[in-house]
Amino acid sequence: MNYHELQVKAYNWLKHLHDTNPDFTFSVRQKASKGAEQNYFIGTERSRYFSTTFWNIPVSYPGSSTDLINLVFALKKGNKLSLYIQFYQTKDPNNDQNQYALELIRNIKPRLKNLDPLVYGEGKETLKMEYFAIYLPELYDSFESSIHDLNTMLEKVIHIVDEEITAMKNTHPTFKANRFLPKEQERMISKMYERFDRYSANVNDEENEEESWTILEDFDTWFVKNYDQPSGIFHGMIFGFLYQISHSKDLISEEKLNEYDSETIEIIKKEIPNFDYEGLDYFEKFLDYTVKNFTTFHSVMKQPLNQILYGPPGTGKTYNTINKAIQIANPDFVLSDHTRKQIKEEYKKLVDEGRIVFTTFHQSMSYEDFIEGIKPKIDEDENGNKKVIYEVESGIFKRIADKARKPRLKSENSITPYTFDDAWSDLVQDANRHLEDGDPLVLTIQTPNLGLRIVDISDKGNLNLKPIYSEDSKIYTISYSRAEKLQQAFPDLSVIKNVNTEFREVIGGSNSTAYWSVLNYINNKIKEKSITEVKEETLPPLPHVLIIDEINRGNVSQIFGELITLIEEDKRIGNNEALEITLPYSKDKFGVPSNLYIIGTMNTADRSVEALDTALRRRFSFEEMSPKPELLNPSAMIENLLWEYKSYEWTDKEYLTEENKLFSVLGVSEDFKKEKEGIWEQMKEDKKNNIVRESGYFQRFDFERIDFEKLLTIINNRIEKLIDKDHAIGHAYFIGKDNTTIRDSFYKNIIPLLQEYFFGDYGKIGLVLGKGFVKKKVTESSVFAAFDDYESEYSERESYEIIDYRKPDHHYKIGDTDMDFSKALLLLMNQSV
């Protein structure tokens, strides 16, 4: 039995049922993944199964990969056909709709256990997903031989599901569940055929997901070969399980999930039963792919509610808070798909919306500034007299917390449908009432003061109309079906220019005036009786982010006060141990919402992590931001630029501006400019084939540039020996600098930092920068005043000074060599000048 032929036969059978009874509807594939562009239903040829559903029941928990209820067509060994209806939902729903869906299938379950001749089966209780199915007991050699039994199964199961849906909606009116409407059915089928046509025209288009699909297809092939059943259900179970373990720290830590190692595999193997992992190589590749995609998709879920980025100055802490804040506030904004300019524009947009708030702690920051306090205000009356009044004013934290927990409402115009059938029925009833009263209903026509009266309604439900001006005039018959076609074509009669011509194009024949009069009545009824209601829907709250720069510079215990407890995850509003306090000034009840994230930054050169307030350290997760000299490598800088602007053309003005800026800084050669496009093609090809070239694609080119990567590494190694790594120098001081502008960075940033670190001990500064930057002062032996009664060690102490190469008259020499800034850097890196 051919897979594609089976789909065609299944589709034709379902379409025949729909054509016979328009209320019988079913789903077809709406989106085409690679390799399935010409498939009628969800499924792949390699997996040897496909499925459809008859109900639109939204389930949206993270990791959902299938409909709630599916009819599955699965090809077994020897091309035998297996048919079953499966029920599948998470046991840990994250909202009311998913909870109702779970309740629905659990209500259905006991009714399926004794449906002869069907066979019931279900997953083990240990599964994280509720899963059971009802099977036809045989395997079939052909689709045709299964149709009788398949109809029996559908008749039994659909009746039970429809009854339980009705019961659930009576109990839970907001539960969304229904059969597809006939119009939805036609739309789905139309879209499917559009996809078939589009794919036929673009059959040679390249996709960028080849590697991912190869992994999935290899796993499917191995699974079917060894287990004689489709693997799709296990894909969904793994996604569902990943969602479970991300919320259950007793199973696996978030770090283990994010880093992904063999322990993750072992836990998943244990938690997903009924699966003998003999083909571990295939499974590990598939699982690795799944975990990486899961953790990328759920980046906001991985973000801790309270976190601090800590590190020495210049390591990109503030730069990264922008990235993290955007990932939290708008997880649909994929950073890797945007340039830095676009990222900053998105950040500004979120700040303007009040979704991100930035503040800096300092020594004078108080509880009153951060939470709430009594603040003086000037009140001026109409005569210009001023007086001071005191009001309770919310602080930075309380304002964003109040905004974060404010309910979001979505207003929708809902039109209560009043259809052609409703209007036709009203017209017939109206006409009958008038006939019973002996006063036939008169319908207006386009000619003023004339009309048509309804003189009879036939046994077939057709209307008979006569002009009002003559009893002997011709009777015009109006049929329901032709009137319906016209109404669908002309819901607004005002657009018609020539009634005879345009009506004939739709229904042929004549009687256009009579049809116009009926259509006019029906269209007016539809406009009159279609009721528009405004419905308000409560939406989930959006994430909000408070960024606290230099969090360790303020007195955290004093600034946060009693809120230091409320920011804990389980103490947040809506969680099991939620707490609220009464604020001291306003006397309002206050709690911290679960959608408010706090990101702090801390400069370890100001105050070490160990010295930070213990209460704060216990409630925040810490992420170290270390210097990254590798970002200063010319090859890495060029590669990063190309990936950042991957979607731009080489001639794009915005890209060229950034390219020229970087090339100027690096001093690239003409040879490089000729070869860059070819190297870029190689970079894309390597990424597609998962090839990593650690040496860098542009390393072989000569750049007229100081080796900043090596320079920063040497400086920080020396600082770590003399003090510690918390006082390192960050890479940000070197970003965007060339051989000339690095000099200003040295004298305005790096040397002042070293002077601060070593408290003016120029001897230690000399150990870091070398004799090219620090020299011994030549002083007179009699520098002190004559005072023989005091013998002091100071007379023997050496003095040092920093050479300022910005001054043209520094006249500094080492031996016979006239020194300059570039030579001093060479000496710093232990190179000869």
Side-chain angles (χ1 to χ4, degrees), residues 323-598:
N323 294 352
K324 285 181 176 290
I326 292 173
Q327 282 181 310
I328 292 168
N330 183 9
D332 293 333
F333 186 91
V334 181
L335 297 174
S336 60
D337 290 343
H338 295 85
T339 65
R340 190 63 189 173
K341 180 182 176 183
Q342 292 168 331
I343 290 171
K344 290 170 81 172
E345 287 170 353
E346 176 65 16
Y347 174 79
K348 183 179 183 304
K349 179 177 79 71
L350 292 167
V351 169
D352 292 342
E353 292 173 3
R355 302 264 311 284
I356 297 176
V357 172
F358 183 95
T359 189
T360 303
F361 274 8
H362 48 81
Q363 290 181 345
S364 61
M365 175 75 81
S366 67
Y367 178 92
E368 287 72 18
D369 298 317
F370 194 59
I371 311 301
E372 69 167 19
I374 297 176
K375 302 288 176 117
K377 291 190 176 180
I378 303 296
D379 183 42
E380 185 173 350
D381 63 21
E382 57 188 18
N383 298 319
N385 300 315
K386 297 179 181 179
K387 64 178 179 179
V388 177
I389 61 172
Y390 295 89
E391 292 182 354
V392 176
E393 185 177 297
S394 296
I396 297 163
F397 185 83
K398 186 172 183 293
R399 285 198 296 270
I400 190 172
D402 289 343
K403 191 173 191 307
R405 66 178 179 178
K406 188 176 180 180
R408 287 198 309 137
L409 298 175
K410 177 184 177 185
S411 296
E412 270 186 357
N413 289 338
S414 173
I415 299 175
T416 303
Y418 182 83
T419 65
F420 175 87
D421 286 343
D422 297 326
W424 181 272
S425 177
D426 279 356
L427 176 57
V428 170
Q429 289 179 27
D430 202 2
N432 278 323
R433 279 197 304 271
H434 278 76
L435 289 172
E436 288 171 3
D437 295 340
D439 180 24
L441 176 66
V442 176
L443 303 180
T444 60
I445 60 174
Q446 290 174 295
T447 305
N449 303 319
L450 294 180
L452 296 168
R453 60 179 180 269
I454 301 175
V455 296
D456 189 24
I457 299 171
S458 72
D459 294 339
K460 294 182 178 179
N462 296 330
L463 305 177
N464 293 326
L465 283 73
K466 251 189 186 184
I468 61 174
Y469 56 79
S470 172
E471 287 295 328
D472 299 325
S473 60
K474 178 182 176 182
I475 292 178
Y476 299 102
T477 300
I478 305 298
S479 77
Y480 166 90
S481 59
R482 298 176 84 197
E484 183 183 34
K485 283 183 181 178
L486 280 174
Q487 201 278 328
Q488 289 174 350
F490 303 109
D492 180 3
L493 291 175
S494 66
V495 301
I496 298 174
K497 294 181 179 178
N498 187 308
V499 174
N500 283 327
T501 303
E502 295 182 47
F503 274 23
R504 283 174 183 274
E505 288 176 358
V506 177
I507 60 172
S510 55
N511 300 350
S512 56
T513 299
Y515 272 105
W516 189 95
S517 68
V518 170
L519 212 56
N520 183 54
Y521 176 98
I522 285 174
N523 284 351
N524 287 333
K525 276 285 184 183
I526 289 174
K527 288 177 186 176
E528 175 191 333
K529 294 204 171 185
S530 291
I531 302 170
T532 301
E533 297 178 25
V534 178
K535 290 185 177 180
E536 282 196 339
E537 178 186 357
T538 302
L539 300 175
L542 293 170
H544 287 63
V545 185
L546 175 63
I547 300 172
I548 305 173
D549 202 28
E550 305 284 3
I551 192 170
N552 55 308
R553 292 186 63 220
N555 186 333
V556 174
S557 297
Q558 181 190 64
I559 294 170
F560 274 87
E562 64 271 45
L563 264 67
I564 199 70
T565 299
L566 271 60
I567 65 172
E568 293 178 31
E569 184 169 353
D570 62 338
K571 305 297 191 302
R572 300 283 188 112
I573 294 172
N575 293 335
N576 294 336
E577 302 295 325
L579 289 178
E580 284 189 320
I581 60 162
T582 301
L583 294 173
Y585 297 103
S586 64
K587 306 304 179 187
D588 292 338
K589 288 283 187 183
F590 181 74
V592 180
S594 297
N595 61 318
L596 175 56
Y597 293 76
I598 304 172

Side-chain angles (χ1 to χ4, degrees), residues 658-674:
E658 296 303 316
E659 182 191 78
N660 292 334
K661 191 188 302 180
L662 178 61
F663 286 7
S664 174
V665 164
L666 297 180
V668 301
S669 64
E670 290 302 316
D671 289 342
F672 166 78
K673 292 178 181 178
K674 293 175 186 174

Side-chain angles (χ1 to χ4, degrees), residues 150-202:
L150 189 50
N151 282 328
T152 301
M153 178 164 70
L154 288 190
E155 185 180 346
K156 290 175 179 284
V157 177
I158 287 179
H159 174 69
I160 291 172
V161 174
D162 285 345
E163 279 193 347
E164 292 298 338
I165 286 176
T166 301
M168 278 291 297
K169 293 178 83 170
N170 288 335
T171 308
H172 306 292
T174 60
F175 179 43
K176 298 175 184 176
N178 56 269
R179 291 295 296 269
F180 296 107
L181 297 174
K183 287 185 178 178
E184 290 180 288
Q185 176 76 86
E186 300 310 316
R187 182 187 58 78
M188 284 192 290
I189 290 174
S190 173
K191 291 284 186 184
M192 180 184 72
Y193 281 114
E194 284 177 16
R195 167 165 48 85
F196 287 172
D197 293 340
R198 188 169 60 251
Y199 176 66
S200 298
N202 299 282

Side-chain angles (χ1 to χ4, degrees), residues 691-824:
I691 296 172
V692 179
R693 299 180 189 269
E694 295 182 359
S695 59
Y697 289 87
F698 302 100
Q699 289 293 82
R700 60 187 174 86
F701 293 97
D702 292 326
F703 298 95
E704 298 173 4
R705 175 181 172 82
I706 297 163
D707 190 344
F708 288 165
E709 181 181 13
K710 180 179 179 183
L711 176 62
L712 179 59
T713 301
I714 289 172
I715 289 175
N716 282 337
N717 285 342
R718 292 170 180 172
I719 292 173
E720 188 172 348
K721 285 279 188 183
L722 292 168
I723 319 177
D724 54 43
K725 68 175 184 177
D726 287 342
H727 291 76
I729 301 292
H731 51 270
Y733 297 121
F734 296 80
I735 295 287
K737 306 297 181 184
D738 59 23
N739 292 358
T740 301
T741 55
I742 188 61
R743 183 177 65 181
D744 289 335
S745 188
F746 250 76
Y747 285 100
K748 291 179 181 178
N749 302 110
I750 297 170
I751 290 174
L753 274 175
L754 294 174
Q755 290 171 323
E756 181 185 332
Y757 289 172
F758 296 113
F759 302 102
D761 186 338
Y762 285 86
K764 288 181 180 176
I765 296 173
L767 291 175
V768 175
L769 298 181
K771 60 184 178 181
F773 284 98
V774 182
K775 71 173 182 177
K776 187 185 296 184
K777 277 187 178 180
V778 179
T779 57
E780 298 179 13
S781 57
S782 57
V783 66
F784 293 115
F787 187 58
D788 298 339
D789 294 337
Y790 180 75
E791 298 222 354
S792 169
E793 62 182 24
Y794 298 111
S795 58
E796 303 298 325
R797 178 177 292 182
E798 301 287 357
S799 296
Y800 300 88
E801 64 178 328
I802 302 289
I803 315 303
D804 191 346
Y805 290 107
R806 294 172 296 179
K807 297 177 180 178
D809 58 346
H810 62 82
H811 303 309
Y812 182 52
K813 285 188 174 187
I814 295 179
D816 295 328
T817 303
D818 291 320
M819 293 297 295
D820 58 26
F821 182 75
S822 60
K823 291 175 183 176

